[in-house]
Amino acid sequence: MKHVTPPRCDGEEQLSNPERSSQPVGQTRPAAVAPPGGERRYQAVYSYAAAEADEVSLQEGDLLAQVEQIDEGWMFGVNQRTGQRGMLPANYVRAL
């Protein structure tokens, strides 16, 4: 597995992920409601284009379910927007 670095927060675009999308300043997506059953959910804080067949692509704001930590840098989960299941960089998501 490779290490993935999230986009810089100082306004500079990072060249390693040219498909990163951004929302206009001041616009945020509505907060997600926790699902019944106490399952912990996550939300993508950055967009990510899958580099391998077993990875999940993310758009900023995507909700993720059935998330499991694999190691320090990677998680496994389901993107609820696309239904895609696979690995995703842990530093691109936050727990809700």
Side-chain angles (χ1 to χ4, degrees):
M1 285 183 256
K2 61 185 179 292
H3 176 72
V4 179
T5 305
R8 295 176 59 153
C9 295
D10 62 3
E12 257 187 62
E13 288 295 320
Q14 186 169 353
L15 298 178
S16 65
N17 194 357
E19 293 184 29
R20 182 178 161 244
S21 65
S22 60
Q23 286 183 284
V25 176
Q27 291 185 2
T28 59
R29 295 182 186 242
V33 177
E39 178 185 327
R40 190 159 193 196
R41 292 193 2 186
Y42 288 76
Q43 183 175 34
V45 291
Y46 306 108
S47 293
Y48 175 74
E52 304 289 333
D54 62 347
E55 294 178 8
V56 174
S57 292
L58 305 171
Q59 284 185 5
E60 184 179 333
D62 279 353
L63 298 177
L64 306 157
Q66 302 171 14
V67 178
E68 299 175 35
Q69 187 78 37
I70 295 174
D71 63 26
E72 188 176 315
W74 290 90
M75 302 175 112
F76 185 89
V78 178
N79 183 327
Q80 292 188 313
R81 179 180 56 83
T82 64
Q84 189 179 19
R85 175 185 307 268
M87 295 175 40
L88 50 115
N91 56 347
Y92 274 56
V93 300
R94 68 177 173 94
L96 295 176

